[in-house]
Amino acid sequence: MARQKRCRICKREGFIYLRHANLPLCKEHFIKRVLSVVQDTIRKFKMFSKKDIVLVAVSGGKDSLALWHILHQLGYKTEGLHIELGLGQFSEVSKQYSELFARKYELKLHLFSIKDELGSSIEELVKKSYEKPCSLCGTVKRYMLNKAARTLGLNIIATGHNLDDECARLLGNMLNWELDYIHRQYPVLPEEDGLAKKVKPLVFLSGKELQMYCEAESIEHTDLSCPYSKGARSLALLDIIEMIEEKYPATKIRFIRGFYKIRDRFIPTKQSKLHECASCGMPTASEKELCRFCRIKKRIKNE
Ligand code: Q46
Ligand code: ZN
Ligand code: ZN
């Protein structure tokens, strides 16, 4: 994505060259394009309307803050939600950038702490547990997102998953033929049994485009990555996807667009039925009486 001299539309100095579209753009036309890609995605997948209040999950990184900024620019009503994971300096800095953004644009930011809810931070939990950090963290984060939305009385959660994330996830699931996960991979998952609707408005924008959007709009964000992300399989998959894109531009967008069209052909192997957790009352697909979050909580108490 090297910079190019002249914008295709106005012939002014180029800010970015979008290789997958063979398109050089100036800063102004690049910003317009990003906004219109997101607007089209929201409409196409009937994500939400201007009447809704969208709860934006923000980590303090480039993708989620770009998402919040874009939705705000497009005139949607938004509130931010930051979940404090308790992962040392990484979490501290993430929270600071989320707060900085909220202050700058005078937007409401809700903070929820895992330690408050669970009695243990992710870091402490990982030290005590035999499970993989990302599996634990994923469960806890998903639970907290749903719980926060319910507590706040909001029923749409938007996350900053981008084109690269979606490609890596799809490839990972296909390599293992995880039919249930493949079927659930979609830019919008409807509200079900008291769980908020989940939407991913950035699925057609790459990480690099979002990085450049932050630069163009002077959005300050953290570049730190989670201490547990090193060596993660998802990062290896991202590298592989980038290698293919480098050699064959537009592979990522074709892969994802094509998949969304045929996703219904992947029939799930089981229909997960939700029931209320006997302890916290949140909907859960767990076959046990308690949801996985409450089982973790119980384990911590008994230690
Ligand atoms: S899941 Fe894993 Fe992330 Fe949690 S432990 Fe860090 S890398 S933050 S997206
Ligand atoms: Zn231009
Ligand atoms: Zn529970």
Side-chain angles (χ1 to χ4, degrees), residues 41-56:
T41 310
I42 292 168
R43 284 209 189 106
K44 182 168 186 221
F45 293 95
K46 298 187 177 61
M47 291 184 170
F48 42 78
S49 76
K50 299 246 158 109
K51 287 187 202 140
D52 297 309
I53 298 177
V54 182
L55 190 59
V56 186

Side-chain angles (χ1 to χ4, degrees), residues 144-187:
M144 292 287 287
L145 277 181
N146 284 314
K147 179 89 190 278
R150 181 180 265 206
T151 309
L152 298 166
L154 298 174
N155 57 0
I156 302 165
I157 301 173
T159 55
H161 294 98
N162 64 35
L163 177 64
D164 310 342
D165 302 325
E166 289 296 287
C167 284
R169 184 170 162 198
L170 181 58
L171 180 62
N173 284 336
M174 288 179 115
L175 291 174
N176 291 319
W177 289 118
E178 296 274 13
L179 287 178
D180 297 316
Y181 291 150
I182 293 173
H183 185 78
R184 273 187 76 77
Q185 187 173 347
Y186 206 55

